[in-house]
Amino acid sequence: MQLQTTPDGFSLLLDDRVLLRHSAAAPAIYVGHGQERMDMYRGNFEIEDYITERSALRHVTVEGSRISFSQAEGMAPRLEMTLAGTHIHFRSLDNSINRFWIRIQAEGDEHVWGGGEQMSYFDMRGRRFPLWTSEPGVGRDKTTEITFKSDMAKAGGDYYNTNYPQPTYVSSRRYALHVESTAYSVFDFRREAFHEIEVWAVPERIEFHSAPSFIELVEQLSLRFGRQPELPDWVYRGAIIGLKDGMNSFSRLETMRAAGVQVSGLWCEDWVGIRQTSFGSRLFWDWQANETRYPGLRDKIVELNEQGIRFLGYVNPYLCVDGSLFPEAEAAGYFAKDQLGRTAIVDFGEFDCGVVDFTNPEAAEWFAEEVIGRRMLDYGLSGWMADFGEYLPIDVELGNGIDAKLMHNAWPTLWAEVNAKAVASRGKTGEALFFMRAGFTGVQKHCPLLWGGDQSVDFSRHDGLVTVMCAALSSGLLGNAYHHSDIGGYTSLFGNVRTPELLMRWAEMAAFTPVMRSHEGNRPRDNIQIDQDPEVLSHFARMTRIYVHLAPYLKTLSKEAATLGLPVQRPLFLHHEHDRRTYAIQDAYLYGRDLLVAPVWQAAQAERPVYLPEGETWVHVWTGEVYDGGQMVTVPSPIGSPPVFYRKSSTFAETFKALAEI
Amino acid sequence: MQLQTTPDGFSLLLDDRVLLRHSAAAPAIYVGHGQERMDMYRGNFEIEDYITERSALRHVTVEGSRISFSQAEGMAPRLEMTLAGTHIHFRSLDNSINRFWIRIQAEGDEHVWGGGEQMSYFDMRGRRFPLWTSEPGVGRDKTTEITFKSDMAKAGGDYYNTNYPQPTYVSSRRYALHVESTAYSVFDFRREAFHEIEVWAVPERIEFHSAPSFIELVEQLSLRFGRQPELPDWVYRGAIIGLKDGMNSFSRLETMRAAGVQVSGLWCEDWVGIRQTSFGSRLFWDWQANETRYPGLRDKIVELNEQGIRFLGYVNPYLCVDGSLFPEAEAAGYFAKDQLGRTAIVDFGEFDCGVVDFTNPEAAEWFAEEVIGRRMLDYGLSGWMADFGEYLPIDVELGNGIDAKLMHNAWPTLWAEVNAKAVASRGKTGEALFFMRAGFTGVQKHCPLLWGGDQSVDFSRHDGLVTVMCAALSSGLLGNAYHHSDIGGYTSLFGNVRTPELLMRWAEMAAFTPVMRSHEGNRPRDNIQIDQDPEVLSHFARMTRIYVHLAPYLKTLSKEAATLGLPVQRPLFLHHEHDRRTYAIQDAYLYGRDLLVAPVWQAAQAERPVYLPEGETWVHVWTGEVYDGGQMVTVPSPIGSPPVFYRKSSTFAETFKALAEI
């Protein structure tokens, strides 16, 4: 980075890009003080800030690579920044500062992507994104009735709410910016001339990355945040079937296999048993096999394994007070404490839980070894949903003594680390597969697979099928190579239920993602299930065969992910950066370099338009029709034939061509 | 006011009350800079502020009654404040300042009332109130379906939205504070230790008023802001009947009179003719009698007058482009201009209008003389609804050269002044009666009667019948002695229609207000009308008789208003200030000192609880039952008998006693 001083300021350049420009009249940094109000209700936050001070730091003193900032000449410096390579380190010289704003130079036609796993907007320009791990909300669109009703239960959410925020963005100017801080932060991309970053603390540092191409930039980021291992081999055998029907799950699995469904795993989240509440069936949050709901499960798992099918379960970082693990953890002091030093108890809706304190190394070790290691891996599980991570209450006392408001965002990564450590302890890294919805900076290093969280069972713009693509693309740019989602969506509320069409459209998108996994949803009985409708079942079976057919190709993508850090699902611009028409596309993606997938994400779409990037010749998979790139084409998209194209020059062309026969 | 200096600050006391307390560590004043976004859609505003600077002015220099503020010792002063009597004058010493915050000392158990005409919360403590004249919104409660649907049309509103804001409050510490500024401002009463006032400009001054009692305080305020004349004598004859049915209005009036309805006036807002739009019938905004809709109206008015009935019309400050007055006003340059110097055109929904520029004295004079004087008063009108006043677009150019953002709040008062001037020009002050919903500081001096705006036709907490009481009480404390409302409410949307019960409950409240006036509502045909249901009609007729029976009492209240500035409808605490249990009551009021009215404002209330202030003996009007004050009592409240009590020792006791016989 290059520092250029001016009479009353400086500019900071990265390979000729001006990133910071400071003068007394147009300062780059503001500091101040705020008093926040943060109310959590079951993972949903109501956050309000009362800013009592925001001061421009107009005066700077530059000494070598160190710049001191004060409000005016002659006043005491309040902040110091030091340049080191492409990093800017910050040091507060004033204890009263708890708000920090920095303005990064922007260009009019600049696009920005990232922010963690964003569900609504891939290109973040023009909007403001608070970055705070939470429930993403139901509906997530203030103009819809479902969001309104959910908001009445404090759970409606908005476009920026996500389980996995990350204060990192990639700019079309071919640089990336990362804020190293776990504090609440906001990326504000609404201004023409600058991006404003707000942090509720003076951040440790801001990192810049730059590269001549997007691909190289993404490679860098994936090295910075950590790479995932390749997918386990067993995954390629087919879909992971999600059933939570007790012992019926096994016979239902057989029915599906008999219908031609290719299966790699059976996922029963109810393996821990259930609890009846007025809301309906909930899982029993005590992480071990439940003999009542699954008698002889250990043997059943062995039987399944012999048929080439793995068994997956469920775990989250809480322990219910009426489970057998709670007293053990409490006696050992493994839980986060309340203000009076007692075990902090969190209400999850008619049952209470303790929060295992992962900042206490012994607690983390115990959870990894005794819970996940011994009761899950040793029992025979090959994977699990590692649920939650977003709910750390902001008023608990933690073992490391750090304010829970600062640990809240850090929690998903700690949670991922506990899971990864357990897997590694059994030598099963790259073999056991857990998947998470929550995340934050560094989750990449530990979590082998993201899942897109709890979409609504519909085609809605901000909470339906289409959001999963945005999630895969945004998180993928930041080093999360593997993404997948609940086939058919999850959340069914206020009479909103799955249609067969939705289930089929979702499955045919999932066939072109790293992992196919079905879910019965939050209300299995109110919603159609794959095995309940012959048309849906046969469509699903075909999609699993497509997935398996593509396995050799997917393996090469998985290798690329491990060696280069490239995500399996990629924005079109990643391989077509000179075609700016690709920059805003978020409802189509490249599946590796060679396949372009444009899922149907609305109801009753007999055809859909697809933009084909220029400089390539594209072949429509189902008809074999050939198209020049650089144009928008509209192709038929009946159920079973979502718009998918391959590069004519692909080395996998024959494989792709054969898809039409499946 | 008393100024006490301390080593690093000062305190400002008013008769022993500490109002301002300043020290370097806890400064009283902040200044800074913001960039607002204000989008208007048909009188509804979406307002957002981007605060780029907020600096504490920690350092003060006191010289006599002048105090200079700077951020720190040695820095240039940015603001100067001068004490003059009970006023604090401010002067900005820094042109960059466009945001100003001041913290007024507060007490834990303090109550605050006022803020103009507030619809939702009489006691403002614990909440934040932006003060900006606008549509009040439909529903005004983010938890209701109607508000949600209205919000989708940008018209839902919130608790603080009002046609008539005013930056003035009355504190239970027996002082009042008034901010002399027309800029957008916010009263924030959410903090325990201070009230924070935010103004989007450095205000000219802040005035304090104090008195040993609330009554004396209200008298002072009414002197400060202006007093209304007594009610015209003709009003006491009965209700003003609102009909907008063309010539049918006359026969319908006859039917009502035949049913025993006491009538003082006929109010036909459609006297100007109508215009059909896809929304329904709208008025023709060209302010003169329409021969098509009302042939021979002038003679009809004379006929009515001979029967002791006045005729009232409608006017607002716009002129439609297809009316006859528009070209005249445009040729004379009487309209506000757009940025290119052309007549600014405002879309009111399928028809366009010009905005008469009341900052141009000639335009104001023309409107008063030619429109209201000649075409309304001289034609025979005895009153009118002087509608609107809240819609001044913030991007027009005005004759006085002042930013429309600063004139927006001032507009209602200018509009009132034009009306008052017209009335005065005909020597009809106190005789012609116009009524307004919009207001701001100083409207008191010009507008003889407020009306509560457009409530929904329901019992809802934030937009129904009950809000009218809050409106009367809050505006009444600030010198608006006369308030009334549309009997039965106005806004009927999304299938929300009047019930006979609502219409009757509203009428029986209105009988105990200065003016009874009915309204057919925005959708007359979808909603029940008084003359359509025998039970409703006979109930209404009785209520007009009650109103007329109370006229001698009301006349004494009107005299009190003119001589002392006391509102006709008064909060209970005004006469019972030592009984703090009265401080939070907003769904009952004193009608003068001697009647306590507790209208039924919810559906199906066969009885309701009422708090009777201590130190008096109260008689229940309908049963004659006697109660000691200082207790909550529950009395039957069948339709026709809303809870009303009188002071046993009242000189009007016999009059009140006779109410039970009507």
Side-chain angles (χ1 to χ4, degrees), chain A residues 373-385:
Chain A
R374 203 154 70 79
R375 289 173 169 83
M376 295 173 66
L377 284 162
D378 296 350
Y379 191 82
L381 268 60
S382 294
W384 54 88
M385 173 180 277

Side-chain angles (χ1 to χ4, degrees), chain B residues 174 212 214 573 575-583 614:
Chain B
R174 287 173 188 70
F214 288 131
F573 66 74
H575 291 286
H576 303 278
E577 61 187 356
H578 299 299
D579 185 353
R580 291 184 72 95
R581 280 167 294 182
T582 61
Y583 284 19
E614 67 187 8

Side-chain angles (χ1 to χ4, degrees), chain A residues 560-580:
Chain A
E560 275 181 10
T563 54
L564 301 173
L566 294 183
V568 173
Q569 293 172 263
R570 304 169 191 171
L572 273 56
F573 67 74
L574 204 59
H575 291 286
H576 303 278
E577 61 187 357
H578 299 299
D579 185 353
R580 290 185 72 94

Side-chain angles (χ1 to χ4, degrees), chain A residues 325-433:
Chain A
L325 291 166
F326 183 91
E328 187 181 336
E330 188 169 45
Y334 291 157
F335 288 120
K337 304 287 189 291
D338 67 14
Q339 302 297 316
L340 299 174
R342 300 168 307 196
T343 295
I345 295 298
V346 181
D347 168 22
F348 280 90
E350 297 172 44
F351 66 98
D352 290 332
C353 293
V355 182
V356 181
D357 180 358
F358 297 136
T359 72
N360 171 354
E362 284 172 35
E365 175 57 31
W366 173 80
F367 202 95
E369 175 56 35
E370 288 301 317
V371 181
I372 302 179
R374 203 154 70 79
R375 289 173 169 83
M376 295 173 66
L377 284 162
D378 296 350
Y379 191 82
L381 268 60
S382 294
W384 54 88
M385 173 180 277
D387 205 4
F388 289 93
E390 318 84 349
Y391 280 49
L392 183 74
I394 53 176
D395 56 358
V396 295
E397 299 289 329
L398 298 170
N400 67 356
I402 297 178
D403 188 344
K405 279 183 186 165
L406 285 174
M407 291 310 297
H408 176 83
N409 269 343
W411 215 253
T413 302
L414 291 180
W415 172 224
E417 193 176 359
V418 166
N419 283 271
K421 206 178 257 179
V423 171
S425 76
R426 290 346 190 228
K428 297 217 164 173
T429 304
E431 164 62 18
L433 190 67

Side-chain angles (χ1 to χ4, degrees), chain A residues 149-161:
Chain A
K149 287 179 175 164
S150 301
D151 270 338
M152 291 307 98
K154 304 188 179 187
D158 213 333
Y159 66 87
Y160 53 80
N161 291 120

Side-chain angles (χ1 to χ4, degrees), chain B residues 39-50:
Chain B
D39 294 331
M40 178 171 93
Y41 181 74
R42 299 196 182 153
N44 298 279
F45 284 81
E46 201 181 297
I47 296 175
E48 195 178 37
D49 198 18
Y50 170 37

Side-chain angles (χ1 to χ4, degrees), chain B residues 383-549:
Chain B
W384 54 86
M385 173 181 277
D387 206 4
F388 289 94
E390 319 83 352
Y391 281 48
L392 183 74
I394 52 175
D395 55 358
V396 295
E397 299 289 329
L398 297 171
N400 67 356
I402 298 179
D403 188 344
K405 279 183 187 165
L406 284 175
M407 290 311 296
H408 176 83
N409 269 343
W411 215 253
T413 303
L414 291 180
W415 172 224
E417 193 176 359
V418 167
N419 283 271
K421 208 177 255 178
V423 170
S425 75
R426 291 341 190 230
K428 296 217 165 175
T429 304
E431 162 64 17
L433 188 67
F434 66 89
F435 41 100
M436 288 179 58
R437 62 178 196 185
F440 194 70
T441 306
V443 74
Q444 297 92 334
K445 194 177 158 189
H446 307 295
C447 176
L449 174 63
L450 294 183
W451 117 81
D454 303 342
Q455 285 73 40
S456 278
V457 291
D458 60 29
F459 289 109
S460 61
R461 166 64 186 88
H462 292 281
D463 200 26
L465 189 161
V466 70
T467 64
V468 170
M469 285 183 259
C470 187
L473 297 182
S474 53
S475 60
L477 280 184
L478 307 186
N480 300 277
Y482 305 100
H483 193 275
H484 80 309
S485 63
D486 297 340
I487 291 173
Y490 173 80
T491 307
S492 170
L493 286 176
F494 311 116
N496 187 31
V497 293
R498 278 177 182 168
T499 58
E501 181 188 15
L502 177 82
L503 201 43
M504 290 190 281
R505 288 307 197 186
W506 212 305
E508 65 193 40
M509 172 175 68
F512 299 91
T513 65
V515 173
M516 284 186 87
R517 179 180 52 78
S518 67
H519 198 310
E520 294 196 280
N522 69 320
R523 293 192 171 164
R525 281 168 198 206
D526 299 342
N527 284 270
I528 184 170
Q529 302 300 336
I530 293 167
D531 55 348
Q532 284 176 346
D533 179 307
E535 187 194 349
V536 171
L537 182 56
S538 111
H539 172 277
F540 184 76
R542 179 167 154 255
M543 290 304 145
T544 61
R545 292 195 298 273
I546 284 175
Y547 173 83
V548 170
H549 177 80

Side-chain angles (χ1 to χ4, degrees), chain A residues 30 35 48 50-55 71-72 75 103 142-145 148-149 152 190-191 194 196, chain B residues 30 35 48 50-55 71-72 75 103 142-145 148-149 152 190-191 194 196:
Chain A
Y30 296 75
Q35 295 165 20
E48 194 179 38
Y50 170 38
I51 295 169
T52 54
E53 189 209 340
R54 174 173 164 141
S55 300
Q71 283 171 239
M75 288 191 72
R103 291 177 170 183
K142 299 305 186 197
T143 69
T144 67
E145 192 86 22
F148 170 68
K149 287 179 175 164
M152 291 307 98
R190 291 177 300 177
R191 320 283 158 194
F194 56 86
E196 188 168 279
Chain B
Y30 297 74
Q35 295 166 19
E48 195 178 37
Y50 170 37
I51 295 169
T52 54
E53 189 209 341
R54 174 173 164 142
S55 300
Q71 283 171 239
M75 289 190 71
R103 291 178 171 183
K142 300 304 185 198
T143 70
T144 67
E145 193 86 21
F148 170 68
K149 287 179 174 163
M152 292 308 98
R190 291 177 300 177
R191 318 285 157 192
F194 57 87
E196 188 168 278

